Amino acid sequence: MSIAVGDKAPDFDLLTDGGGHVKLSDLKGKPVVIYFYPKDMTPGCTTESCDFRDQHPNFAAVNAEIIGISKDSAARHDKFKAKYDLNFTLASDEENDTCERYGVWVEKSMYGKKYMGIERTTLVIDGEGVIRNIWSKVKVKGHVDEVLAAVKAL
């Protein structure tokens, strides 16, 4: 499945760090930033998550929620969150349903070997649940600043 700017964001209900869960439809009325990332504790994913952590006060100032989603377990998210003092929700999509509905579960290639994995992707969803921005194949450096600017422009 693929999604596009202007589409209604597919709802999800996922387990999160701390033994909780997050449901997109429960966040109606506020902007939501969802970033899909391949794996906890890896260099690029750690940098991206720490950038969101550092900018969290600026996202909170415009009432925006940040949700990081990967296939890692909620228990692994707890370790990742504790190690890097992350201050936002990490959701677990172990069943891969949400990744597939958002079109981020794709064929990738490394050193000539093909495999399936999460394509680093960020979305901004407005308070009505409509996708307003999509960044695919995200390059981490400077990305969070661009996302913050898009949220402020809503």
Side-chain angles (χ1 to χ4, degrees), residues 12-24 26-27 37 40 65-81 88-94 98:
F12 56 79
D13 189 347
L14 295 172
L15 295 176
T16 67
D17 60 273
H21 75 96
V22 63
K23 188 172 184 177
L24 181 61
D26 288 348
L27 301 173
Y37 65 99
D40 291 345
E65 292 284 333
I66 300 169
I67 303 169
I69 300 176
S70 77
K71 286 180 55 74
D72 291 302
S73 69
R76 185 163 172 91
H77 283 336
D78 284 334
K79 292 174 186 166
F80 186 43
K81 195 167 180 171
F88 52 85
T89 300
L90 295 178
S92 175
D93 187 26
E94 287 185 280
T98 301

Side-chain angles (χ1 to χ4, degrees), residues 80-100:
F80 186 43
K81 195 167 180 171
K83 183 172 182 175
Y84 294 100
D85 197 26
L86 302 178
N87 49 6
F88 52 85
T89 300
L90 295 178
S92 175
D93 187 26
E94 287 185 280
E95 301 301 316
N96 206 33
D97 179 58
T98 301
C99 290
E100 290 209 13

Side-chain angles (χ1 to χ4, degrees), residues 128-142:
E128 296 303 312
V130 176
I131 299 168
R132 293 297 173 200
N133 302 85
I134 301 174
W135 293 267
S136 299
K137 298 181 183 175
V138 166
K139 302 293 183 225
V140 173
K141 186 169 175 59

Side-chain angles (χ1 to χ4, degrees), residues 53-68:
R53 175 201 64 205
D54 295 346
Q55 287 283 12
H56 185 266
N58 296 318
F59 283 98
V62 291
N63 201 31
E65 292 284 333
I66 300 169
I67 303 169

